Amino acid sequence: MGFLKKLGNLFNPRSQSDQWVQWVRVECNRCGEQISARVDLRNDLSINYGDNGSPTYFTRKVLMGEGQCFQKIEVELTFDKNRQLTGRQISGGKFVDEQAA
């Protein structure tokens, strides 16, 4: 039985810990719909080598709601070398504070 369980675990998707996930919540300027997006800090980030040689990371996401409004919301996030969020920009919407939601 142990062999079959190990074999089944190979084909089941692994759950990722919250340590490697950054959630972004935005609100559309046009219709007010709130949209959540998940950023995988291991796979979604692109490296950016600055002038000082210290690497930083960035990602760009284009979000669209599920309602009748098809406004595109573009989010750009920057991270430091430890993959901690250092900056964010948005067009077509506004960021929603997680504590208020």
Side-chain angles (χ1 to χ4, degrees):
M1 237 8 192
F3 172 74
L4 293 177
K5 187 170 185 171
K6 288 180 183 179
L7 184 63
N9 287 340
L10 289 175
F11 297 105
N12 289 337
R14 297 180 186 170
S15 61
Q16 295 184 349
S17 67
D18 289 338
Q19 163 185 344
W20 296 106
V21 174
Q22 174 77 42
W23 285 96
V24 177
R25 189 163 179 85
V26 300
E27 182 177 311
C28 178
N29 280 343
R30 185 182 293 173
C31 68
E33 180 180 1
Q34 291 189 359
I35 305 165
S36 294
R38 180 180 173 277
V39 178
D40 185 340
L41 298 177
R42 290 179 284 188
N43 296 311
D44 291 344
L45 303 184
S46 299
I47 195 163
N48 184 16
Y49 293 104
D51 294 333
N52 58 3
S54 178
T56 58
Y57 298 92
F58 73 95
T59 188
R60 180 177 296 123
K61 295 277 186 180
V62 178
L63 310 174
M64 188 182 315
E66 295 178 358
Q68 296 178 353
C69 173
F70 296 105
Q71 172 74 23
K72 291 182 182 177
I73 303 167
E74 186 172 339
V75 177
E76 293 184 19
L77 305 173
T78 56
F79 299 85
D80 65 7
K81 65 180 180 176
N82 298 320
R83 299 176 193 225
Q84 299 296 315
L85 184 65
T86 58
R88 60 187 191 172
Q89 295 179 350
I90 189 169
S91 63
K94 63 181 179 181
F95 290 103
V96 177
D97 189 17
E98 288 298 324
Q99 288 77 18

